[in-house]
Amino acid sequence: MPNEEEKEYLRPPTPPVDPKVAELASRLQSSKVASDDTDSSNRFDRKVDDEAKGEDGDLSDSELFAELERESDLELAGLREKRIEELRAEMTKAKDMRERDHGRYTEIMDEKEVIKTSANESRCVMHFYHRDFRRCQIMDKHLELIAPHHFKTRFCKVFVENVPWLVEKLQIKVLPCVICFINGVSKDRLIGFEEIGNDDAFTTTALELRLAQSGVIEARTTDKNKLVTKYSGRSIRDKEAEDDEDWRSDE
């Protein structure tokens, strides 16, 4: 049986040491060795010389401590300043987005403003509607609930009779029609209620998940595949809803 003295003990790895702390420890150790090797009769003279050296030559221990502390404060101050600048930039951006009606569901009346909004916003959900269509009113209620939860996305509605050229350009024939714009490009569209259950009583969550699938908003649930319909994975541009209200411009 080996003696206990012969047993090897595992030690945890040595944590990394800050270079300045290591320098300070080295100086303290050197000072101690020098103190041990010096004759006791010259200790007083050496003390006077060391104090003079601390003033005119290398830093004394107290000065090294003070320098280390100052540099740490400067590093922290730099990080704080950087974070403050980032927060200022974020606040400025949020203010600008709030002035552009982010976080709300608003109506745009002018056709040129509609085109400008769809082109300039990084993410935009635009509902083309008619005031006389009940399903458009249902869509309005759900989008109004969703908008405050997705501040980065612009939510708006457009009365089709105010934008005849755009309706023709986008080939909008069935209402309600929700078009998702990403970086100025029409990426997806939701026609009627087909992809959210084809029922007037669909939930706000179902609509929110469908919009998230297009990438125009960020999903607020980890279950991104929760919404599965018989139309999932199919193109929605050429679909026609038999029970949706058909609308065509007379222009």
Side-chain angles (χ1 to χ4, degrees):
M1 294 292 290
N3 296 329
E4 292 185 0
E5 297 177 350
E6 296 177 352
K7 291 182 178 179
E8 295 182 357
Y9 293 89
L10 296 177
R11 296 182 179 179
T14 304
V17 180
D18 186 273
K20 291 191 174 295
V21 175
E23 179 185 357
L24 177 60
S26 177
R27 291 191 182 188
L28 291 175
Q29 181 64 25
S30 299
S31 176
K32 182 177 183 301
V33 172
S35 177
D36 293 341
D37 293 342
T38 303
D39 187 79
S40 59
S41 61
N42 296 326
R43 287 181 181 177
F44 179 76
D45 294 335
R46 182 180 53 75
K47 179 178 180 182
V48 174
D49 291 340
D50 287 346
E51 290 177 353
K53 186 178 181 180
E55 295 175 359
D56 302 327
D58 295 336
L59 295 176
S60 65
D61 295 345
S62 60
E63 289 173 327
L64 186 58
F65 272 119
E67 181 186 3
L68 184 62
E69 185 175 355
R70 281 196 301 271
E71 292 194 6
S72 297
D73 290 341
L74 288 174
E75 290 177 0
L76 291 175
L79 292 174
R80 283 196 298 268
E81 185 64 26
K82 181 179 179 181
R83 182 54 182 157
I84 289 173
E85 290 299 324
E86 290 175 350
L87 289 174
R88 286 175 180 170
E90 290 175 4
M91 291 175 64
T92 300
K93 183 178 179 180
K95 181 180 178 182
D96 179 60
M97 294 173 72
R98 194 173 294 109
E99 290 175 351
R100 301 200 314 267
D101 290 323
H102 280 248
R104 297 193 300 156
Y105 180 55
T106 58
E107 181 168 6
I108 303 178
M109 307 293 292
D110 182 67
E111 190 167 40
K112 291 183 179 179
E113 186 64 25
V114 173
I115 297 173
K116 180 181 177 181
T117 298
S118 64
N120 294 340
E121 293 289 350
S122 59
R123 293 189 289 188
C124 178
V125 174
M126 192 168 287
H127 173 209
F128 291 86
Y129 79 101
H130 195 284
R131 293 168 185 159
D132 296 335
F133 293 173
R134 180 175 54 84
R135 282 196 162 185
C136 290
Q137 297 172 7
I138 295 174
M139 181 65 73
D140 276 341
K141 293 178 181 179
H142 290 287
L143 290 175
E144 190 171 4
L145 292 174
I146 294 173
H149 297 285
H150 298 277
F151 186 75
K152 296 180 181 179
T153 300
R154 176 74 186 276
F155 284 80
C156 56
K157 62 180 180 178
V158 181
F159 184 43
V160 288
E161 292 186 4
N162 290 338
V163 290
W165 180 86
L166 197 56
V167 166
E168 182 68 22
K169 183 72 174 179
L170 296 174
Q171 298 183 359
I172 299 174
K173 298 179 180 180
V174 179
L175 299 178
C177 178
V178 177
I179 300 182
C180 303
F181 294 92
I182 300 179
N183 294 324
V185 178
S186 174
K187 291 292 186 179
D188 198 358
R189 67 173 62 190
L190 181 61
I191 301 175
F193 296 167
E194 286 187 2
E195 297 193 39
I196 45 179
N198 203 21
D199 188 340
D200 290 1
F202 70 88
T203 65
T204 303
T205 300
L207 176 59
E208 188 175 27
L209 285 171
R210 177 61 186 85
L211 293 175
Q213 288 178 349
S214 71
V216 73
I217 64 173
E218 297 177 359
R220 293 196 296 156
T221 174
T222 56
D223 187 6
K224 295 182 180 180
N225 297 320
K226 184 176 180 180
L227 178 62
V228 178
T229 71
K230 64 179 180 179
Y231 301 101
S232 296
R234 293 172 53 191
S235 172
I236 64 174
R237 295 183 180 274
D238 299 325
K239 294 177 184 174
E240 294 182 1
E242 294 180 357
D243 56 348
D244 281 340
E245 294 148 306
D246 197 5
W247 183 90
R248 290 179 173 81
S249 173
D250 295 331
E251 298 292 326

